[in-house]
Amino acid sequence: MANEAKAGKLPPQIPFIIGNEAAERFSFYGMRNVLTNFLVGYLLIDLAEPERQAAAKEVFHVFVMGVYFFPLLGGWLSDRLLGKYRTILYLSLVYCVGQALLALSVESKTGFFAGLFLIALGSGGIKPCVSAFVGDQFDQSNKHLAKLVFDAFYWIINFGSFFASLLIPPLLAKEPTVITLGEATRVTLDTPLPRAAFGVPAVLMVVATVILWAGRRRYVNVPPTASDPHAFSKVCLTALTRPGGSAGQPGLALARLGGVGALAALGLFPWLGAVAAICLALTVFLVFAGGGVWLQLDRARGHHPDEDVDGVRAVLRVLVIFALVTPFWSLFDQKASTWILQGNAMTLPGWGWFKSAAQMQALNPLLVMLLIPFNNVALYPALKALGVEVTPLRRMGMGIAFSGLAWVAVAALQLVLDGGEKLPVLWQALPYALLTFGEVLVSATGLEFAYSQAPAKLKGVLMSFWSLSVTVGNLWVLLVNATVKSETVSAAIGRAGFGVMAFQMFFFAGFAFVAAAAFAVYARRYVVADYYRKA
């Protein structure tokens, strides 16, 4: 067990966790921010141009879905078997192998996609653990410092992302040598640059793992609950299956309906793809089963302690919040796919170091690093002085609305491009600024909010669901993309006078505004809890 921090003091082990996160985020975003352009310019070069862009976008969002799906596994390993530290360490090693495999497989689809799978497993598996691990280092005596550390945690994430977004894309800027043999086209990678674009992130992931390991003797390690008879899943199962006399079992019927819906969703894999169909099936089942548990949860009382039943209810209440945040993630993650593809059709500023539209991604973390201290030092105190209480839920709701504004702006740019006019890529700075402000309000706030709303033994579960909301957000993207491929839908879009990309942009903007309104309605009724551990 690590040394406890003195009352009211910042835990001395926090710098190790933050240093690990900075290097890991450089690794992840360095790889992620060149992924779309690498797929289009190298790995999928055998496809025709329109098909190549659509395929690259699909691969990107399937990968992101995987990254945010595997937190379910990481949360379970952390809470039930390994604890947070060992889960992070072991899956970081898997992560390192995946990054190395990308660098070694730039000419092999099989090897490259295997590397993406291992990165999704490693990166996704540690996600619910790292932020919860930060929270575990605090107690009631110093919890007032937790928000500052969560903000610093999010700031350092973007510190790593900024330098990755700025420095890695130029490594892909050199055009590959294309050799045409008859009707077949293949790419000869006679330059080391693609390997370097993935090799540098691989080295940084090794550094991140070493930093985490170096602080091993200092951490507060909350032990897992391996044989807990009152675990989240067991309470839910009891609630669904325990008879309720004359009241019947409406919750169980709802859960069974979710099972039927999940099977129907699996049948959509020829249209959506296997990964998207599996995620859709899981989402459908969780929505219906969660509703069923809510209806019958009190039936678990007597069989399980009241505090465990109340803990499940607390998680279910927060899941509604998470569901309403999913549209935000559908907008946010497309900045590394749809916005890059738009940027590729725009003109670069001609600066010597600016070699790729993907480098516009650096604006996002740079603005985050500026906005987090600005909000805490200037904006929030100013609003409070005016009598406006800036609660976490209000921040998150406004963040969703700002993401919608960002997509109105980027859609307006697309209309100009569709009209045949060339635009400088720097015009994307406005939508990036709006989207980043929304991100700070939603994501930085959501990390601390999610941790605070769960009882101690359910923190990993809740953090897993927070990550799963990102998977669902990317699922919306794939559903919309699959829909617009229909000749009927694409013809209707054309008759309305829009290009497909512009139509999708306006659609996602409207999606965000509807979600923001629904979020505001639910937030009015939500009672905020406090589940920080006692000193």
Side-chain angles (χ1 to χ4, degrees):
M1 181 66 73
N3 294 326
E4 295 283 354
K6 293 182 179 179
K9 301 293 185 180
L10 184 70
Q13 61 271 31
I14 291 296
F16 289 93
I17 303 175
I18 289 183
N20 161 263
E21 189 70 6
E24 185 272 328
R25 289 292 85 186
F26 186 108
S27 174
F28 180 79
Y29 284 107
M31 176 277 303
R32 195 184 91 145
N33 288 348
V34 298
L35 180 57
T36 298
N37 278 345
F38 175 77
L39 293 169
V40 171
Y42 292 85
L43 200 64
L44 303 179
I45 198 72
D46 55 318
L47 300 177
E49 179 65 26
E51 295 177 9
R52 196 188 319 161
Q53 291 198 5
K57 187 174 177 180
E58 182 173 337
V59 169
F60 176 86
H61 286 285
V62 168
F63 167 69
V64 174
M65 287 172 65
V67 169
Y68 290 94
F69 175 80
F70 282 115
L72 291 175
L73 173 62
W76 182 82
L77 287 173
S78 170
D79 286 352
R80 297 288 171 263
L81 295 178
L82 300 175
K84 297 180 184 68
Y85 168 70
R86 287 195 294 165
T87 300
I88 297 169
L89 181 64
Y90 297 162
L91 289 179
S92 291
L93 297 174
V94 173
Y95 195 165
C96 290
V97 173
Q99 288 283 36
L101 195 54
L102 292 193
L104 296 173
S105 304
V106 292
E107 300 176 77
S108 167
K109 288 183 180 179
T110 301
F112 194 85
F113 291 150
L116 287 179
F117 171 79
L118 292 178
I119 293 171
L121 175 60
S123 175
I126 68 177
K127 275 188 180 299
C129 307
V130 176
S131 51
F133 192 46
V134 172
D136 284 348
Q137 311 310 307
F138 294 87
D139 55 32
Q140 292 290 340
S141 71
N142 57 4
K143 71 174 185 179
H144 61 285
L145 297 173
K147 183 186 182 303
L148 295 177
V149 171
F150 272 106
D151 281 346
F153 185 72
Y154 203 73
W155 192 91
I156 206 70
I157 287 173
N158 286 276
F159 179 83
S161 175
F162 170 72
F163 286 102
S165 301
L166 200 62
L167 300 176
I168 300 301
L171 298 182
L172 280 177
K174 183 177 179 180
E175 291 295 323
T177 300
V178 181
I179 299 176
T180 302
L181 300 174
E183 297 181 355
T185 300
R186 66 185 179 87
V187 177
T188 299
L189 299 178
D190 57 354
T191 167
L193 296 181
R195 295 194 192 281
F198 295 107
V200 172
V203 171
L204 264 293
M205 190 57 222
V206 174
V207 171
T209 306
V210 170
I211 293 173
L212 175 74
W213 176 82
R216 64 194 181 281
R217 301 187 189 281
R218 299 171 179 260
Y219 303 129
V220 172
N221 289 305
V222 177
T225 54
S227 58
D228 184 8
H230 309 297
F232 178 83
S233 58
K234 293 179 181 178
V235 174
C236 291
L237 186 61
T238 300
L240 286 174
T241 58
R242 202 173 188 190
S246 60
Q249 292 184 298
L252 181 59
L254 193 61
R256 286 172 174 167
L257 182 61
V260 173
L263 291 175
L266 288 175
L268 297 176
F269 80 88
W271 178 56
L272 290 175
V275 174
I278 291 170
C279 289
L280 179 61
L282 177 64
T283 301
V284 169
F285 178 74
L286 288 176
V287 168
F288 281 86
V293 171
W294 181 271
L295 288 174
Q296 298 185 185
L297 184 57
D298 284 337
R299 298 185 185 185
R301 298 189 188 278
H303 191 77
H304 298 283
D306 285 350
E307 63 178 358
D308 291 297
V309 177
D310 291 338
V312 170
R313 189 173 296 280
V315 169
L316 293 177
R317 289 171 63 242
V318 181
L319 291 188
V320 179
I321 294 287
F322 291 178
L324 293 171
V325 171
T326 60
F328 167 80
W329 295 118
S330 68
L331 277 67
F332 179 75
D333 280 329
Q334 287 188 79
K335 68 181 177 59
S337 61
T338 304
W339 288 20
I340 285 180
L341 294 175
Q342 182 192 68
N344 289 342
M346 304 171 85
T347 58
L348 300 180
W351 304 330
W353 54 270
F354 203 119
K355 299 180 181 298
S356 170
Q359 286 175 278
M360 288 295 291
Q361 295 281 291
L363 266 180
N364 171 249
L366 175 62
L367 289 171
V368 168
M369 290 188 290
L370 295 174
L371 284 171
I372 284 180
F374 171 78
N375 287 352
N376 286 324
V377 173
L379 180 60
Y380 297 155
L383 290 173
K384 189 173 183 179
L386 294 173
V388 179
E389 186 66 25
V390 189
T391 65
L393 291 179
R394 286 180 179 176
R395 293 200 297 269
M396 293 170 72
M398 288 301 299
I400 299 171
F402 269 95
S403 72
L405 291 175
W407 276 71
V408 170
V410 83
L413 298 179
Q414 190 61 41
L415 289 178
V416 175
L417 293 172
D418 289 346
E421 184 176 339
K422 280 286 186 179
L423 284 175
V425 73
L426 294 180
W427 273 101
Q428 285 189 329
L430 175 60
Y432 269 107
L434 292 169
L435 186 66
T436 302
F437 188 63
E439 176 197 1
V440 170
L441 295 176
V442 173
S443 192
T445 303
L447 283 173
E448 193 269 339
F449 177 79
Y451 183 87
S452 70
Q453 298 305 291
K457 70 178 184 179
L458 295 180
K459 292 190 185 298
V461 170
L462 196 55
M463 289 296 186
S464 298
F465 281 120
W466 171 252
S467 295
L468 187 63
S469 70
V470 184
T471 290
V472 176
N474 282 268
L475 178 60
W476 298 141
V477 178
L478 293 182
L479 288 172
V480 171
N481 287 347
T483 300
V484 299
K485 288 180 182 178
S486 163
E487 292 184 4
T488 302
V489 174
S490 59
I493 293 172
R495 288 194 298 270
F498 288 101
V500 170
M501 184 176 286
F503 172 81
Q504 286 181 277
M505 289 172 170
F506 281 117
F507 171 84
F508 280 110
F511 191 29
F513 292 139
V514 170
F519 190 97
V521 171
Y522 183 74
R524 285 175 176 267
R525 303 171 54 192
Y526 186 90
V527 179
V528 177
D530 180 359
Y531 282 107
Y532 277 98
R533 63 188 176 87
K534 296 180 180 179

